[in-house]
Amino acid sequence: MTLAQLNERGLLLVGCGRMGGALLRGWLDRGLDPAAVRVMDPAAPGWLAERGIATQGALPEEPAVIVLAVKPQMMGAALPQVTDAARGGALVLSVAAGVTIAAYERAFPAAPVVRAMPNTPAAIGQAITAIVGNARADEADMALAETLMGAVGQVVRLTDEAQMDAVTALSGSGPAYVFHLIEALVAAGEAEGLPAPLALALARATVAGAGALAMQDGPDPAALREAVTSPGGTTAAGLAHLMDAGSGLVPLIGRTVAAAAARGRELGA
Ligand SMILES: NC(=O)C1=CN([C@@H]2O[C@H](COP(=O)(O)OP(=O)(O)OC[C@H]3O[C@@H](n4cnc5c(N)ncnc54)[C@H](O)[C@@H]3O)[C@@H](O)[C@H]2O)C=CC1
Ligand SMILES: O=C(O)[C@@H]1CCC=N1
């Protein structure tokens, strides 16, 4: 099913905050008719009315898709509001961290369910999203989920829902780690005497440029790192700290991702 075909049966979006809003903008840009969208959100953003998107009134009776984009902690309150809308065979597509397929199956016993984990580069069409479906989600359902999430970036399929908490901890939360790396570079640049705006310009462009280089086919990240590192040079002196086995980035990121994954498992318990 294409986004244009969704226009016939409609899409119900539950939660239109940062992630739900980014997804909706992506779908509208790809041809979803605003008249086919119903948003349910007690704090619906103002731009929805400007685009002619309904936030009040009856829910669509048989939408093709119900997208769940509320906080995991709000999911218990949100699901009963939309159980009737799922009776017509809608695909239930959730982007919430932690909440398991089993929880959605309890609320929608007959529905195909797909869990998706995007990330905030969705706002500029550069997300990476992992998806995994339940037993009722057939290839057409998976393809529809892929089309929807593909509107905001790349999509990969998981073979096992158990991978989802690790994905969430790596790529779902990952942009925050990278933004913090930029903050850390700025602080370090300032400590070395650079004015803050210059340090910020250098740090942002360095992370963006290195990211773009890492996305090219060719050398792997280790080889790209080695290409920067002259023997006895400046980078080697810096990496001696960053790559320290006890206090360097590998154990630090290891603890970071492990804590995020553990929180995902808690949210789903
Ligand atoms: N922000 C991110 O980087 C990512 C977020 N997610 C997931 O996306 C989901 C939404 O997160 P954000 O967009 O960041 O949160 P947000 O707080 O920006 O948006 C949540 C929206 O849900 C609305 N809401 C609250 N209760 C509701 C209810 N009962 N019915 C309908 N709407 C309700 C709120 O008014 C708000 O607009 C979460 O489950 C999160 O785990 C997934 C990947 C990345
Ligand atoms: O912090 C969170 O729980 C959500 C899920 C991944 C990114 N943000």
Side-chain angles (χ1 to χ4, degrees):
M1 192 183 295
T2 63
L3 287 183
Q5 287 169 315
L6 269 185
N7 290 337
E8 287 170 29
R9 283 178 56 195
L11 179 150
L12 173 58
L13 174 62
V14 185
C16 191
R18 283 163 299 180
M19 188 47 68
L23 289 168
L24 180 53
R25 285 180 197 275
W27 300 328
L28 296 171
D29 289 349
R30 295 283 184 102
L32 185 65
D33 182 353
V37 179
R38 169 68 158 85
V39 169
M40 180 186 272
D41 189 323
W47 66 268
L48 297 177
E50 289 160 24
R51 299 286 296 261
I53 292 169
T55 58
Q56 304 289 332
L59 298 184
E61 283 180 13
E62 296 194 350
V65 188
I66 300 173
V67 179
L68 301 169
V70 300
K71 294 284 187 198
Q73 295 88 339
M74 304 307 297
M75 199 58 85
L79 293 183
Q81 300 176 281
V82 294
T83 43
D84 284 349
R87 296 227 161 91
L91 169 66
V92 174
L93 173 61
S94 172
V95 299
V99 184
T100 59
I101 284 175
Y104 300 116
E105 286 177 332
R106 283 192 288 277
F108 311 105
V113 176
V114 174
R115 265 183 84 181
M117 181 45 56
N119 58 14
T120 54
I124 55 165
Q126 293 194 34
I128 183 152
T129 301
I131 61 172
V132 64
N134 71 348
R136 287 185 185 274
D138 61 16
E139 180 49 37
D141 295 313
M142 295 304 289
L144 176 54
E146 217 161 46
T147 300
L148 287 166
M149 302 313 294
V152 294
Q154 298 180 57
V155 182
V156 295
R157 291 191 190 191
L158 305 181
T159 50
D160 186 348
E161 189 188 6
Q163 297 170 318
M164 201 45 118
D165 291 317
V167 168
T168 303
L170 196 164
S171 56
S173 301
Y177 313 153
V178 175
F179 299 136
H180 192 54
L181 172 64
I182 295 175
E183 294 179 270
L185 286 169
V186 171
E190 284 188 77
E192 288 299 319
L194 298 177
L198 176 59
L200 179 59
L202 293 169
R204 277 209 295 219
T206 299
V207 170
L213 198 53
M215 287 301 287
Q216 304 287 308
D217 283 338
D220 66 18
L224 291 170
R225 167 174 51 75
E226 282 159 15
V228 186
T229 313
S230 309
T234 61
T235 313
L239 287 178
H241 291 274
L242 199 65
M243 296 181 73
D244 183 88
S247 61
L249 199 57
V250 168
L252 181 59
I253 291 286
R255 290 197 301 277
T256 300
V257 170
R263 181 61 185 144
R265 287 188 287 274
E266 278 173 14
L267 288 169

